[in-house]
Amino acid sequence: MAQSTASPPRQQSRSAVPSTITLAVWRVRQTWRLLLLAGVGILAAVVLVCTVPLYSAVSLTAGLRGVLNATPQSSEIGLQFSTLFLSSDIVARADQEVNRVMQQQLGVYLQKKTNFFIKTQQLPLDAPASIYGDSMGLTGASMQDAAQHVRILRGRLPLPLSDTLEIAISEPTAKYLKMDVGSTLTLSQFFFGPVNPSQVEIPMHIVGIMAVISNDPFWHGQNFEPPEPGPGGPPPTNFSALMSNDSYLAALHQAAVELKSPTTPPFEAGETVALIWYYHLNPAQIDISQLDDLVSRLQAAQRQIGSGNISSSSIFRDPQIFGLALPDAHGSSTLERFQARISVVNVPVTILLFQVVGLILFFVGMMAGLLIERQAEVIALLRSRGAKRRQVFGSFAFQSVGLALIAFIAGPLLAILAARALVQQTLSPTDQQALNIISGDPLPVALRVGWFALAAAFAAVLAMLFAIRGSASRDVLEMRRESARATRRPLWQRVYLDMAAVIVALTGFAFSLYITHSGVLDAESSLVISAPLALVAPIFLVIAGILLFLRFFPTLLRLFSRIASRRAGAAPMLAMAQMARAPRQAVRMILLLALASSFASFALVFIASESSHIQKIAAYETGADFSGPVLSQNFSDPVGKQAIPYRKIPGVLSATLGYAGDASLEQTSQTFPIRVRAVDASTFAQTAIWTDEDSSQSLSSLMNQLVAKRRPTTLVQADPVPAIVDALAWKTLNLSVGAPFVLNIANTNVVFEAIAEVEHIPTINDSLVSGPSSDFTVPGGILTDYQTMAPALQSDSGTGITPNYLWLRTSDDPALLAKVRKALSQGPLALQSINDRRAMIAGLEKDPLYIALINVLALGTATTVLLALVGNLIASWLSARARLINFALLRALGSAPRQIARVLTWEQTIVYSTAIALGAFFGALLAATIVPALIFTGLPDYTSDTSSGEFFAIQHVLSTQMVIPLSLVIIFVALVVICAVAIGMMARVASRPSISQTLRLNDD
């Protein structure tokens, strides 16, 4: 039998990978446009997820460095020990021990430069012109460092090491002591010698007359000048001088040698010496990721040194470590308060970022769904030719993974560029120095946000796989039947996602209300916890509301189609009937645009409200354009006459002097602080800033009431002083109009009469919310007429008060403002501290924490709205292209192009108008629920001279009012115009082709 020559059948490959990859690459050529859009969406998600942490890190680092650089003392850490033992060896050992502790705890954060001082007590002074009781305190420093911080008037600075103790004194000291360069004086210092205490005379040689540079932080407030005597008073008896540390230690050693002291160091009886070290943090090398570690290390150093846990504790006593960066008995440190502010900002930023990324992923999923629907016939053809489900699904999955991989690689690098560009556009040149944390080699920076990029890319892949999971397994008949009439409900309807969102929203609102009103937490902790809940609950409420509406949207369409069928014109009826039969595409488009537009509405309202709140906070804190305590007080001239020099400053429109002080309440057993503002009622209405939130009554009418109650003669004790009382004091005192109450001012009881109640009195932080410090009590306040209260106080006790506070209303001209600031900062009209409303507004608007939140919102808004518009326009276009055959058949049956265009116009109009209306409504809901809870505007801790409690309280003094910006109206008008143009273009294109043109377009 002849052997068969037929070749054996080839075995099919068991691996689907090659065919899957081949199919995926082949389909890229046909669908590259949609793939490109999906890839842009994934890239946008990755870039945004990576940009926000980088930008926030730079912004928060700038804020942290702003805290540390606010004043020279902000980054300074001081250590002080008192000792009775003193010698060169002891100082060297102490310096080594202190350096060891500081380097161990804070070495990575410290600058190399350290300033060391030795300060003695006031020692008896013997000089030719001195009198009995004169004394001098010596301050020792490094002469190399001191030379940069003094001006030598005559002579020179002391030598670093000399045979005799050399000193430099100020010109007033030389005048009082009648000494000059070359003079010699002696100080008396006690020592325990070999047997009995001995008094040693230490000669000092004056080698220089110097002047300390004004307000130089190097000297920490010391100017080496004697106190100024009062008019006709005795001359000063306490003086100070500058010496070299090494020379002083050498002089002590020489005295010990003369006393024949034993080998132990000399012991000073009753005259301690202070050893002080000043270390400086290095803000330029500190970033926000190190804040927690820095705070914990500072606290550890404070515990170790404050407890005396050093090897030389037997020699040193009264150890102290101090500085603004360290907590003290009065409250938390500046770093801890900044840490608390960050927690208030970071949580909202993270939640808003998740919301934006969720919208972007929804866009990606929508593009993936359109990609599948666009290839429905190809999928059916492949399935009929033997392609397996996993091969079809694998090809789309391979495309998804490829897009995500490209985004994962390119996203972090693009995010670095985006963050740098955003920082350069939004932060001040000083704050832009924080860019050094993302400068240099981009690879480590990209790796820092690599996990964010990986999470975003993975989420995008899941979104695309979820979108193609069901569609890739259907045949063409099923897909066409589904597009013609919906037979399956969307997954979110089947799992009742809308009801789950309702439950989450209601639960969040319940917890938020409980935390806010239960009082179980202090105000700061309540704000940190309730802010996330106040964000999450409204977001889920909006999602639930939109999904609930879309659940009943097909029913509404069917209802309206029945109504439209009774009227003339078939276009609206056909449009609504078609959408009711196959609502999937319309629902996706409405959901995407509604969520994006609602988020945009909320973002714009929040930004405008935050800006308005800044204006109100600054006005409330200053009370006028400028305010502050005066330096020189006049007891003789009337208050109106004393204000005349201030009115003559160029640029000043109105000036008011008055008294700002504290009073205590005599009617209750518990202590209740009252702030008193006694002003010149004749001019205060023209000077102060008074808003409707302060009172429904105008300031002019209130001041007229005070002026009308002035007495032509001096009041007697029984005559009450009319006062305007804020709501907190009114409630605490249980007052009514005309009711008297007694306050103790300057140890004198004064009777007041309540003539009006107001909500707030500017510059008095009468928040009903307590501050974070446990010992802070919210003060009430009264506003009264100075010309009425001052005589009453004088007649009651004979102790008068003097105007000590100034309010100014000024021009907005920059040149005149510069003259006002100069006059208030130096010269006879200078203020102790200046509250500048315009400068405060500028500072708050440049606060990096504020900028970070605002720009994250702006960036997210722009991204989501743009992608939503692109996604909806593409969906509309593809929907029109998919129905070209239907439109052509209608043309063949006699329908006019205008009629077909009307049908499509009605469909798209319903979709876009519904989406925009839902976005406007739920955007207003978001703004109404989130804006009051999210606004955190308050004076940065390093720009306020109030206590930490008052700083926190002022954030809650003023209610937050929503501001509807013009930009919101412009954006919605632009959305309507864009949608109208797109609808017109698609309707025009869809109604033109004939059957042959339609078939050719469909093949393309």
Side-chain angles (χ1 to χ4, degrees):
M1 180 181 292
Q3 293 182 353
S4 175
T5 59
S7 59
R10 291 179 298 174
Q11 294 183 353
Q12 295 183 351
S13 174
R14 296 183 180 180
S15 175
V17 174
S19 59
T20 299
I21 297 177
T22 302
L23 180 60
V25 174
W26 173 59
R27 291 308 303 164
V28 167
R29 302 174 185 174
Q30 307 296 324
T31 60
W32 65 270
R33 296 178 181 86
L34 284 177
L35 284 174
L36 178 62
L37 289 173
V40 169
I42 297 176
L43 183 63
V46 174
V47 170
L48 190 63
V49 166
C50 296
T51 299
V52 170
L54 291 177
Y55 177 73
S56 297
V58 175
S59 300
L60 297 179
T61 297
L64 174 60
R65 293 178 182 179
V67 171
L68 294 175
N69 290 322
T71 64
Q73 292 79 26
S74 298
S75 60
E76 192 174 68
I77 302 172
L79 289 87
Q80 178 174 329
F81 295 97
S82 298
T83 181
L84 295 174
F85 294 90
L86 199 62
S87 70
S88 299
D89 292 339
I90 290 177
V91 170
R93 189 171 59 184
D95 186 72
Q96 182 180 4
E97 181 68 15
V98 168
N99 278 324
R100 183 190 65 80
V101 174
M102 294 300 291
Q103 291 298 325
Q104 177 185 356
Q105 298 291 351
L106 298 165
V108 294
Y109 301 111
L110 295 177
Q111 299 181 17
K112 295 182 180 180
K113 185 68 174 178
T114 304
N115 299 322
F116 174 64
F117 297 89
I118 297 178
K119 287 192 175 184
T120 71
Q121 295 181 348
Q122 291 294 126
L123 302 175
L125 172 65
D126 184 13
S130 64
I131 59 176
Y132 179 77
D134 283 355
S135 63
M136 177 173 286
L138 301 178
T139 298
S142 167
M143 291 300 102
Q144 182 179 359
D145 297 335
Q148 306 172 18
H149 302 278
V150 297
R151 289 184 296 109
I152 300 300
L153 305 179
R154 295 187 301 279
R156 59 174 175 82
L157 282 177
L159 295 175
L161 184 61
S162 56
D163 295 335
T164 59
L165 183 58
E166 298 179 345
I167 61 172
I169 60 176
S170 64
E171 187 72 61
T173 300
K175 177 182 176 182
Y176 283 117
L177 295 179
K178 297 180 181 179
M179 307 188 78
D180 208 333
V181 175
S183 302
T184 301
L185 49 82
T186 57
L187 286 181
S188 299
Q189 194 149 12
F190 285 91
F191 284 92
F192 273 117
V195 181
N196 296 316
S198 302
Q199 184 175 8
V200 177
E201 303 292 335
I202 300 178
M204 298 186 300
H205 186 60
I206 299 175
V207 297
I209 307 297
M210 66 172 187
V212 172
I213 299 175
S214 179
N215 298 323
D216 192 330
F218 179 81
W219 301 109
H220 300 89
Q222 186 174 4
N223 58 10
F224 295 96
E225 295 185 0
E228 288 288 338
T237 59
N238 296 330
F239 304 95
S240 57
L242 175 64
M243 65 179 180
S244 167
N245 289 328
D246 294 335
S247 294
Y248 178 65
L249 295 175
L252 291 183
H253 178 74
Q254 181 63 31
V257 170
E258 294 176 359
L259 288 174
K260 298 181 180 180
S261 174
T263 56
T264 57
F267 184 80
E268 304 177 28
E271 295 171 355
T272 59
V273 177
L275 307 181
I276 307 173
W277 291 263
Y278 288 102
Y279 289 84
H280 301 272
L281 298 173
N282 189 4
Q285 300 301 321
I286 299 175
D287 61 63
I288 194 64
S289 64
Q290 300 169 317
L291 176 59
D292 294 339
D293 181 64
L294 175 59
V295 170
S296 63
R297 285 175 176 269
L298 284 169
Q299 293 172 348
Q302 189 174 32
R303 288 192 299 268
Q304 183 173 354
I305 294 177
S307 62
N309 186 19
I310 57 176
S311 60
S312 303
S313 57
S314 60
I315 298 177
F316 303 125
R317 62 185 187 183
D318 300 328
Q320 299 179 34
I321 178 169
F322 52 89
L324 295 177
L326 293 164
D328 55 21
H330 300 289
S332 55
S333 67
T334 55
L335 293 180
E336 290 172 330
R337 291 192 286 270
F338 182 77
Q339 200 175 29
R341 293 187 70 213
I342 289 177
S343 63
V344 175
V345 177
N346 273 343
V347 174
V349 167
T350 304
I351 294 175
L352 294 174
L353 177 61
F354 279 128
Q355 182 180 359
V356 172
V357 173
L359 287 173
I360 296 176
L361 294 180
F362 182 73
F363 166 82
V364 172
M366 184 176 177
M367 290 297 101
L370 293 175
L371 181 66
I372 295 297
E373 293 174 4
R374 178 65 174 162
Q375 302 179 82
E377 295 186 0
V378 175
I379 294 173
L381 179 62
L382 291 173
R383 294 293 307 279
S384 65
R385 296 286 179 89
K388 297 180 180 180
R389 180 185 303 178
R390 62 188 177 90
Q391 289 177 313
V392 176
F393 180 80
S395 65
F396 290 112
F398 180 79
Q399 292 176 346
S400 303
V401 173
L403 293 176
L405 184 61
I406 294 174
F408 172 69
I409 296 173
L413 300 177
L414 293 176
I416 296 174
L417 299 178
R420 290 182 61 87
L422 198 59
V423 167
Q424 292 170 354
Q425 292 295 323
T426 58
L427 297 186
S428 65
T430 302
D431 291 334
Q432 288 180 21
Q433 296 176 2
L435 274 172
N436 66 343
I437 68 172
I438 60 172
S439 300
D441 188 1
L443 185 58
V445 180
L447 292 176
R448 191 190 311 171
V449 293
W451 289 108
F452 296 99
L454 181 61
F458 182 73
V461 171
L462 289 181
M464 294 189 70
L465 294 180
F466 182 79
I468 65 179
R469 177 185 58 86
S471 301
S473 61
R474 300 178 189 174
D475 56 28
V476 66
L477 181 61
E478 184 182 359
M479 297 188 71
R480 286 181 175 178
R481 186 186 304 118
E482 187 69 24
S483 63
R485 180 181 295 274
T487 58
R488 295 183 61 189
R489 293 183 300 168
L491 178 64
W492 62 267
Q493 289 188 10
R494 298 198 301 270
V495 300
Y496 293 96
L497 186 61
D498 47 355
M499 301 308 298
V502 170
I503 295 173
V504 173
L506 294 179
T507 305
F509 278 119
F511 275 108
S512 179
L513 290 174
Y514 172 75
I515 291 174
T516 303
H517 299 288
S518 64
V520 296
L521 299 175
D522 61 80
E524 186 176 5
S525 300
S526 176
L527 179 63
V528 172
I529 296 175
S530 62
L533 293 176
L535 271 174
V536 171
I539 290 174
F540 275 91
L541 181 62
V542 168
I543 294 175
I546 295 178
L547 292 180
L548 280 173
F549 175 83
L550 294 178
R551 177 182 286 273
F552 298 101
F553 182 62
T555 304
L556 293 175
L557 289 175
R558 286 192 292 270
L559 175 62
F560 285 121
S561 66
R562 294 194 189 100
I563 297 174
S565 64
R566 301 172 186 173
R567 299 180 179 273
M573 184 269 294
L574 290 175
M576 284 184 277
Q578 172 64 27
M579 293 175 63
R581 284 196 301 266
R584 180 182 178 187
Q585 187 70 16
V587 167
R588 287 190 303 185
M589 293 173 60
I590 292 173
L591 184 58
L592 178 60
L593 188 57
L595 289 174
S597 56
S598 64
F599 179 76
S601 302
F602 152 71
L604 293 175
V605 170
F606 173 80
I607 293 172
S609 302
E610 184 82 29
S611 178
S612 174
H613 201 66
I614 284 177
Q615 303 280 340
K616 293 191 297 183
I617 285 288
Y620 187 89
E621 181 69 6
T622 57
D625 289 335
F626 290 88
S627 65
V630 298
L631 274 174
S632 57
Q633 301 181 19
N634 190 335
F635 288 86
S636 56
D637 294 335
V639 63
K641 185 177 180 180
Q642 295 184 44
I644 293 177
Y646 292 99
R647 297 192 184 103
K648 293 182 179 180
I649 299 175
V652 172
L653 304 178
S654 179
T656 299
L657 276 170
Y659 171 79
D662 296 333
S664 58
L665 185 62
E666 295 294 324
Q667 294 170 290
T668 60
S669 57
Q670 61 181 1
T671 302
F672 179 69
I674 296 287
R675 300 286 164 82
V676 178
R677 299 293 183 264
V679 300
D680 184 358
S682 304
T683 61
F684 190 66
Q686 293 77 36
T687 306
I689 296 178
W690 193 267
T691 65
D692 293 339
E693 282 198 50
D694 298 321
S695 175
S696 58
Q697 304 180 60
S698 67
L699 185 59
S700 298
S701 65
L702 293 172
M703 291 298 103
N704 289 335
Q705 294 181 52
L706 293 179
V707 172
K709 289 183 175 290
R710 285 179 180 172
R711 303 292 192 270
T713 59
T714 303
L715 291 172
V716 297
Q717 185 173 359
D719 296 325
V721 178
I724 299 165
V725 185
D726 67 12
L728 180 61
W730 190 280
K731 179 180 178 181
T732 303
L733 300 177
N734 195 21
L735 296 176
S736 59
V737 175
F741 60 96
V742 180
L743 296 180
N744 185 278
I745 303 175
N747 297 321
T748 303
N749 291 336
V750 181
V751 180
F752 290 90
E753 176 190 356
I755 64 171
E757 178 189 5
V758 297
E759 287 298 322
H760 312 290
I761 298 174
T763 72
I764 298 177
N765 301 333
D766 57 344
S767 171
L768 293 175
V769 181
S770 63
S773 54
S774 59
D775 59 348
F776 176 70
T777 303
V778 180
I782 65 168
L783 180 64
T784 186
D785 180 31
Y786 178 86
Q787 299 185 39
T788 305
M789 191 185 80
L793 195 62
Q794 180 72 30
S795 63
D796 285 345
S797 64
T799 302
I801 58 173
T802 181
N804 62 0
Y805 208 85
L806 173 72
W807 293 264
L808 291 181
R809 177 65 65 89
T810 61
S811 168
D812 293 327
D813 183 79
L816 295 177
L817 283 176
K819 293 181 179 180
V820 173
R821 292 185 175 109
K822 182 178 180 180
L824 297 180
S825 60
Q826 53 185 308
L829 302 180
L831 302 181
Q832 292 183 20
S833 60
I834 303 175
N835 298 320
D836 186 341
R837 182 179 65 87
R838 297 177 183 87
M840 191 176 295
I841 291 173
L844 289 172
E845 290 178 342
K846 294 178 181 178
D847 181 12
L849 274 67
Y850 163 79
I851 292 175
L853 181 57
I854 292 301
N855 284 288
V856 167
L857 274 175
L859 184 63
T861 300
T863 305
T864 53
V865 171
L866 180 61
L867 290 180
L869 281 175
V870 171
N872 273 16
L873 291 176
I874 292 174
S876 300
W877 178 263
L878 292 179
S879 177
R881 289 284 298 264
R883 297 167 59 191
L884 284 178
I885 295 179
N886 296 335
F887 294 144
L889 290 175
L890 290 175
R891 287 281 308 277
L893 293 174
S895 298
R898 182 178 300 177
Q899 293 174 318
I900 299 174
R902 286 178 182 174
V903 174
L904 187 58
T905 300
W906 270 98
E907 291 180 8
Q908 299 301 310
T909 301
I910 292 172
V911 170
Y912 285 109
S913 59
T914 302
I916 293 176
L918 287 176
F921 175 78
F922 286 104
L925 180 63
L926 272 178
T929 52
I930 294 181
V931 168
L934 186 57
I935 284 184
F936 67 98
T937 308
L939 298 178
D941 216 26
Y942 47 89
T943 64
S944 175
D945 57 357
T946 59
S947 69
S948 60
E950 292 182 346
F951 155 70
F952 185 81
I954 193 174
Q955 302 181 49
H956 304 273
V957 170
L958 303 177
S959 61
T960 302
Q961 295 180 346
M962 289 192 302
V963 178
I964 308 300
L966 180 61
S967 58
L968 178 61
V969 180
I970 294 175
I971 281 185
F972 272 98
V973 171
L975 284 176
V976 172
V977 172
I978 292 173
C979 295
V981 172
I983 290 169
M985 292 177 60
M986 287 182 293
R988 185 177 180 86
V989 171
S991 62
R992 278 187 175 182
S994 62
I995 293 181
S996 60
Q997 292 173 329
T998 299
L999 293 176
R1000 186 164 54 252
L1001 287 172
N1002 195 52
D1003 290 339
D1004 293 338

